Amino acid sequence: MKLKGIITNRYLSSWPSFDLVYEWEDCISKSLSIPLIPKSGNKDRIRNLVTKYRLTKPYQWIKKHFFSSQNYYLYYILGVANHSQAPLFTRKKVIPVIIDFFVSQEYLPRFYENYKEYELVLIADLDAYRFLQANHPPFRIAHFPLSLSDKYCLTPETHFEKRYPLLLAGRDNPVLNDFLSAYVAKHPDFEYVYRKYEDGRFNYYSNQTGLIGEFATREEFMNLIRASRCAFYATPGIDGDEGRTEGFSPLTPRFLEFLAAQCRVVARYVDNAEAAFYELLSITPNIADYQQFEKILTEYLQPKTDFSDYMLYLSKHYTSERIERLKHIVNAKA
């Protein structure tokens, strides 16, 4: 296999969740000297027509016999669930990278049917990768973990001034929120920042002073994290979210972003293969009850001056490290 480019959605989608993906694409493109290729909306229309008129088999036969190539193109897919459509149709050979694999055992045949034409599929979540391994997919798979762009590299010279004691950014976790309510009842002057969806956008509020801003751009949001001393973090698929994720609970890059911003993390996560791969326990405990929560939050609110542990940890999870893994995967024999 030879990677010849990366198919990108950046000219079609400005959804904030894709900002991370575009950063990974930029790193890979620069490191491997391969181009970013705009995904065409026309291809989606072709795919829909092929699906509507049940022309998948003739289309794949034409693609195989008339557009054969040894060149492959990376393509990130954000979220694959039970009822997800078949992926991108293209005459180029594509290596899909699946982020957030939430497919149940019952729907595996549908997933396999959708992806059977691909020679290699990359899976970000280690538990999802092992699940697929155990269920014998009709294509080659490899574990390709998520990462943090090298542009956020933490160095000994990095220093961020902290303005907000605690930040709640991202999906709420009901257990941590309940613990916070109990903590604020005991410490009514404690300040934290939370987000609220209003008029089609997220605004951020201080519980003490009110609205502080929207932080709509990637850089503005990162600056908000950098200004926060602590943050809540929980993996998806826990505390009532299990049904949505079919029991999978992958790490999201938000955790790595917090560390790169010198932000201490109060966390809840599932003790699974993914948590072990990312060595979450080496950075922060898995909060189990209010007493532990109060102890950890009180400790984390104290200034931290030595972030050498964060630097060592993040050195294993920058995109440049993942690129080395990608080279090995692509060059390996099936």
Side-chain angles (χ1 to χ4, degrees):
M1 286 183 166
K2 184 176 182 180
L3 277 179
K4 293 292 289 184
I6 303 169
I7 301 174
T8 179
N9 290 310
R10 65 185 64 203
Y11 305 108
L12 295 176
S13 176
S14 58
W15 184 250
S17 297
F18 278 103
D19 288 342
L20 274 166
V21 174
Y22 303 153
E23 290 174 352
W24 299 329
E25 291 174 348
D26 289 339
C27 286
I28 297 170
S29 173
K30 182 178 179 180
S31 177
L32 300 183
S33 299
I34 55 177
L36 296 170
I37 302 169
K39 178 188 174 186
S40 170
N42 291 330
K43 290 188 174 68
D44 283 339
R45 286 188 282 274
I46 292 171
R47 178 195 65 186
N48 292 335
L49 288 172
V50 168
T51 303
K52 179 179 179 180
Y53 295 106
R54 300 181 180 180
L55 300 174
T56 301
K57 289 184 178 179
Y59 182 86
Q60 296 294 355
W61 186 90
I62 293 170
K63 196 169 66 169
K64 178 178 179 181
H65 289 83
F66 292 95
F67 298 108
S68 180
S69 169
Q70 292 305 307
N71 297 330
Y72 292 79
Y73 297 79
L74 209 63
Y75 179 61
Y76 281 93
I77 298 176
L78 188 59
V80 174
N82 286 340
H83 297 284
S84 295
Q85 285 186 320
L88 178 74
F89 281 94
T90 174
R91 66 185 180 89
K92 302 179 179 72
K93 291 192 175 180
V94 173
I95 301 174
V97 183
I98 295 179
I99 305 167
D100 292 344
F101 176 92
F102 300 150
V103 177
S104 67
Q105 184 87 40
E106 179 186 357
Y107 281 87
L108 265 185
R110 177 191 175 106
F111 170 72
Y112 287 165
E113 180 66 23
N114 285 344
Y115 283 77
K116 67 180 182 181
E117 299 297 332
Y118 294 90
E119 296 182 34
L120 171 63
V121 177
L122 304 184
I123 308 295
D125 176 16
L126 181 55
D127 287 281
Y129 169 72
R130 291 183 175 177
F131 169 71
L132 289 171
Q133 263 191 326
N135 285 278
H136 312 294
F139 42 77
R140 181 182 162 217
I141 61 172
H143 179 220
F144 187 56
L146 302 183
S147 63
L148 182 69
S149 169
D150 291 57
K151 69 186 289 185
Y152 302 114
C153 183
L154 193 60
T155 71
E157 291 74 34
T158 305
H159 175 72
F160 299 117
E161 294 293 335
K162 301 300 180 181
R163 179 179 177 184
Y164 305 110
L166 175 65
L167 173 65
L168 280 61
R171 184 179 293 107
D172 286 341
N173 178 268
V175 175
L176 291 178
N177 285 352
D178 286 348
F179 291 162
L180 177 61
S181 296
Y183 186 86
V184 172
K186 295 176 65 175
H187 307 275
D189 295 331
F190 179 72
E191 183 182 23
Y192 63 91
V193 173
Y194 63 97
R195 73 174 188 174
K196 187 176 181 181
Y197 189 71
E198 299 174 315
D199 300 323
R201 65 179 185 269
F202 286 107
N203 290 321
Y204 286 83
Y205 287 83
S206 162
N207 69 314
Q208 299 291 340
T209 61
L211 180 67
I212 61 173
E214 184 180 354
F215 304 96
T217 70
R218 176 76 169 144
E219 189 60 29
E220 288 171 344
F221 179 70
M222 290 303 298
N223 285 337
L224 176 62
I225 296 177
R226 291 163 179 157
S228 304
R229 188 172 301 281
C230 301
F232 280 179
Y233 175 79
T235 54
I238 61 172
D239 300 329
D241 194 37
E242 294 85 351
R244 182 182 69 88
T245 69
E246 296 295 343
F248 294 104
S249 187
L251 182 118
T252 62
R254 180 61 48 79
F255 182 79
L256 305 176
E257 292 173 350
F258 285 148
L259 301 188
Q262 298 179 330
C263 188
R264 308 198 72 181
V265 185
V266 181
R268 279 181 58 78
Y269 46 87
V270 175
D271 183 15
N272 56 14
E274 180 86 337
F277 174 82
Y278 281 100
E279 303 172 294
L280 297 188
L281 196 58
S282 71
I283 294 294
T284 190
N286 191 359
I287 300 297
D289 53 44
Y290 177 77
Q291 289 70 29
Q292 185 186 24
F293 170 86
E294 185 174 39
K295 177 178 180 295
I296 291 299
L297 181 58
T298 301
E299 175 188 340
Y300 284 3
L301 288 171
Q302 301 303 311
K304 176 179 171 69
T305 57
D306 181 7
F307 287 92
S308 57
D309 53 340
Y310 283 19
M311 286 187 286
L312 178 62
Y313 177 87
L314 287 172
S315 68
K316 307 173 187 178
H317 299 294
Y318 289 121
T319 306
S320 55
E321 290 298 312
R322 298 295 188 257
I323 292 171
E324 294 305 310
R325 179 187 287 250
L326 178 63
K327 291 178 184 177
H328 176 76
I329 292 170
V330 170
N331 293 329
K333 294 182 179 180

